[in-house]
Amino acid sequence: MIIVTGGAGFIGSNLVKALNEQGRNDIIIVDDLTDGRKTRNLTNLDYFDYIDCIDFDRAIAEGNFDCGPIDVVFHNGACSDTMEYNGRYIMKNNYEGSRNLFHYCQNHRIPFIYASSASTYGYGHKGFRESLECEEALNPYAYPKLFMDRYVRKFENKLVSQVVGLRYFNVYGPNECHKDKMASLVRQMFYKNQETGEITLFEGTDGYEDGGQTRDFIYVKDVVNVNLFFWEHPELSGIFNCGTGQSHTFNKFMQAVIDYSGKGKIKYIPFPEVLKGKYQSFTEADTTKLLSVGYDRGFTKMEDAVAEYCELLANNEGYIRR
């Protein structure tokens, strides 16, 4: 059996789809379907069972979860709203459950591959290497991700089964339709451009020109490939960046949407006061550690990935096809 927490969400559903393509349907999806829109992500997936995340977390915490032998746990379930400021809520959701699941997997010798975040690098002024001196948390969303990584490190010399934390950079692609303002700019601006012929980006900040802030944008298919690579190499454990190692400006990222659409222009709007002091103007994964352990599956060229995703947005409402 394979467990995918957050399996009805963005990255999780793409991961389940890839597992299906490998012939695996003995999958238990764990998620929260309070937002019923996520059921659409499940439509084209083949899986064994679904468990509500509250029931799952309780069973894990109490030590009485049992579904038979488990090959791997892919843990992507979490609150993904980077603007959530209820610290108690986000620690409950993004740290305590992850910690309990980590110990469950260790106790049962199950490989545990979990989602961390590039937000653990704060402004990134000290670089984007998987090391303590580069890390800081600028907001309540980043803190439990960072705390989880540091907690896992305390056991790195005592592990009895694989544990991998993947620091996702800016992921985009199909099945993020339910994420609203947390969805990628490709999804948000594709439809805005179709309706108005206009894409809006922030004016310059932190010394960057208008639309010149840069991010390491990574296609969700590549994120899935990194997850599967580590599952196929159970001898590998640790915290690893999950980014392409190449940053692009928002201007270039959105130009790819315009190029696909054959129309549109970029308009710049004032940088929001609420984001000042909490915004990463530059991210770029240091992929040295990832490549050093043998990852050789490459990354999709940004322009090609955006075009592929825009095709789904235009013809399939942004959902993966069966």
Side-chain angles (χ1 to χ4, degrees):
M1 197 68 71
I2 297 172
I3 293 178
V4 181
T5 73
F10 169 36
I11 296 172
S13 61
N14 278 274
L15 181 54
V16 173
K17 179 65 162 59
L19 291 168
N20 288 167
E21 291 170 352
Q22 292 187 354
R24 297 296 296 262
N25 61 4
D26 54 333
I27 301 166
I28 294 177
I29 288 177
V30 178
D31 213 308
D32 176 358
L33 290 178
T34 300
D35 183 347
R37 292 177 297 173
K38 288 198 290 185
T39 57
R40 180 76 181 273
N41 289 347
L42 299 173
T43 302
N44 292 325
L45 303 180
D46 187 9
Y47 54 98
F48 178 74
D49 203 359
Y50 171 89
I51 302 175
D52 182 83
C53 63
I54 293 177
D55 297 332
F56 179 75
D57 287 350
R58 183 183 300 114
I60 292 295
E62 294 173 353
N64 57 21
F65 179 78
D66 185 10
C67 67
I70 299 172
D71 291 343
V72 62
V73 172
F74 292 104
H75 181 43
N76 286 277
C79 171
S80 62
D81 187 347
T82 60
M83 297 302 291
E84 175 58 64
Y85 283 92
N86 184 328
R88 184 173 184 272
Y89 168 79
I90 208 161
M91 282 296 285
K92 282 278 186 186
N93 278 268
N94 290 11
Y95 171 67
E96 291 185 22
S98 299
R99 178 198 61 200
N100 293 340
L101 189 52
F102 160 69
H103 284 296
Y104 178 88
C105 288
Q106 283 295 291
N107 291 338
H108 293 82
R109 297 180 179 270
I110 301 166
F112 178 58
I113 301 172
Y114 73 92
S116 183
S117 169
S119 65
T120 55
Y121 295 116
Y123 290 115
H125 294 163
K126 299 178 182 178
F128 295 89
R129 298 182 310 279
E130 303 94 331
S131 56
L132 189 65
E133 63 268 20
C134 297
E135 298 169 353
E136 62 177 333
L138 298 180
N139 55 46
Y141 170 80
Y143 181 73
K145 294 291 188 180
L146 179 55
F147 196 31
M148 179 62 185
D149 288 350
R150 290 181 174 176
Y151 184 81
V152 166
R153 282 179 179 145
K154 296 175 183 178
F155 298 86
E156 61 185 355
N157 295 320
K158 306 173 186 176
L159 298 176
V160 297
S161 60
Q162 181 186 43
V163 179
V164 174
L166 296 176
R167 288 183 169 171
Y168 296 156
F169 278 67
N170 284 77
V171 189
Y172 65 99
N175 281 23
E176 58 171 344
C177 312
H178 61 283
K179 291 171 65 67
D180 296 328
K181 68 181 185 298
M182 290 295 116
S184 73
L185 275 185
V186 178
R187 176 173 176 80
Q188 294 185 51
M189 294 302 159
F190 174 82
Y191 290 118
K192 182 178 176 64
N193 187 45
Q194 293 295 309
E195 294 171 5
T196 68
E198 192 172 82
I199 286 173
T200 54
L201 293 176
F202 293 148
E203 293 176 348
T205 187
D206 296 332
Y208 291 85
E209 66 180 15
D210 293 349
Q213 299 92 339
T214 66
R215 295 288 177 87
D216 190 331
F217 300 104
I218 180 168
Y219 198 35
V220 69
K221 286 186 177 180
D222 297 325
V223 169
V224 168
N225 281 336
V226 173
N227 273 269
L228 295 178
F229 167 81
F230 279 104
W231 179 36
E232 293 162 12
H233 291 83
E235 74 280 5
L236 300 175
S237 289
I239 310 299
F240 294 86
N241 284 334
C242 188
T244 69
Q246 181 177 8
S247 63
H248 296 286
T249 66
F250 282 99
N251 283 329
K252 187 173 183 180
F253 194 43
M254 289 299 96
Q255 186 60 48
V257 175
I258 292 170
D259 290 345
Y260 172 86
S261 303
K263 66 175 184 178
K265 63 179 181 179
I266 296 174
K267 175 184 177 181
Y268 301 103
I269 59 176
F271 191 85
E273 287 291 328
V274 70
L275 291 181
K276 290 183 178 179
K278 308 179 186 70
Y279 187 79
Q280 291 176 308
S281 292
F282 170 80
T283 67
E284 185 174 81
D286 184 330
T287 58
T288 302
K289 186 177 179 182
L290 177 65
L291 298 178
S292 73
V293 297
Y295 184 76
D296 59 359
R297 302 181 186 185
F299 300 99
T300 311
K301 183 180 178 183
M302 184 270 287
E303 290 84 356
D304 294 340
V306 170
E308 181 177 293
Y309 184 25
C310 285
E311 182 71 15
L312 287 174
L313 289 167
N315 297 298
N316 207 47
E317 300 179 72
Y319 292 97
I320 52 177
R321 293 190 175 97
R322 189 171 181 81

